Amino acid sequence: MPALPPEQHPHTQIETIYEDHHSWLQGWLRQRLGNTSDAADLAQDTFLRLLASRRRELVDDPRALLRYIARGLVIDLWRRREVERAYLQSIAHLPEAQIPSEETRHLIIDSLLRIEAMLAGMPELTRQVFAMAQFDGLGHQLIADHLGISLSTVRRHLRKALIACIMAG
């Protein structure tokens, strides 16, 4: 396989995209986030994702691709902050001696985000059955009665959910 000319080398292409579009991307992110620091971080993360991705071929519309990647990173940031906020609210009433360390809180929040992603990847009925069993503590027959489905359907969806849990772990 012949070597690519230097101007077509993937790293050279990304370097050119970076030089041509980094400040634009950072401004685009700053408008959405209202925060220069987060915008700078996500702009860098966007280019890291681009560099790590398989999209190393010449990009026809670099700004569209950068917006697509950055939009996903913004959603991830907002989701993480919402999970952090909810978690911090849930531990706010604890006595100081029982409040987890910063490192432990970080690990817990990461775990909560993985659980959230796993649940979001489940079909709606599977998610409902799993939530009713795990969070509401309902038995299989009560879930079947409540949802108007058969007991075997409840069991099938719980199996799917448990497999998703194992795969996410």
Side-chain angles (χ1 to χ4, degrees), residues 3-164:
L4 291 171
E7 68 276 1
Q8 288 184 359
H9 190 275
H11 291 289
T12 304
Q13 293 171 14
I14 293 172
E15 185 178 321
T16 301
I17 292 171
Y18 184 90
E19 290 169 355
D20 293 347
H21 302 287
H22 179 266
S23 61
W24 165 82
L25 178 62
Q26 198 165 335
W28 185 85
L29 285 163
R30 191 173 35 256
Q31 286 178 337
R32 273 134 196 87
L33 299 170
N35 179 314
T36 301
S37 177
D38 287 339
D41 288 346
L42 289 187
Q44 290 304 111
D45 289 348
T46 299
F47 282 100
L48 287 173
R49 290 263 174 108
L50 180 60
L51 189 58
S53 77
R54 295 182 182 173
R55 297 190 71 108
R56 295 197 173 151
E57 70 277 358
L58 194 58
V59 178
D60 290 335
D61 188 354
R63 287 189 178 187
L65 178 58
L66 294 171
R67 266 193 313 268
Y68 176 79
I69 295 169
R71 195 174 291 124
L73 291 171
V74 168
I75 291 168
D76 289 348
L77 176 67
W78 287 339
R79 183 178 296 128
R80 180 177 188 83
R81 288 196 175 149
E82 180 60 25
V83 168
E84 286 173 350
R85 185 194 59 72
Y87 175 69
L88 292 174
Q89 279 183 337
S90 75
I91 66 170
H93 71 282
L94 293 176
E96 192 171 330
Q98 292 180 345
I99 294 177
S101 69
E102 187 69 32
E103 181 182 348
T104 300
R105 285 195 304 251
H106 182 73
L107 292 172
I108 290 169
I109 290 168
D110 283 346
S111 295
L112 290 170
L113 287 166
R114 281 197 320 270
I115 291 167
E116 180 191 41
M118 178 213 42
L119 290 171
M122 289 181 186
E124 178 61 31
L125 185 57
T126 302
R127 187 170 43 249
Q128 277 185 295
V129 169
F130 179 76
M132 293 173 86
Q134 295 300 311
F135 305 132
D136 299 334
L138 299 180
H140 297 183
Q141 189 61 57
L142 281 173
I143 295 170
D145 294 343
H146 181 76
L147 294 175
I149 58 178
S150 70
L151 190 56
S152 62
T153 300
V154 169
R155 290 184 178 129
R156 185 176 66 249
H157 283 285
L158 282 175
R159 259 191 314 276
K160 284 182 186 179
L162 293 174
I163 289 169

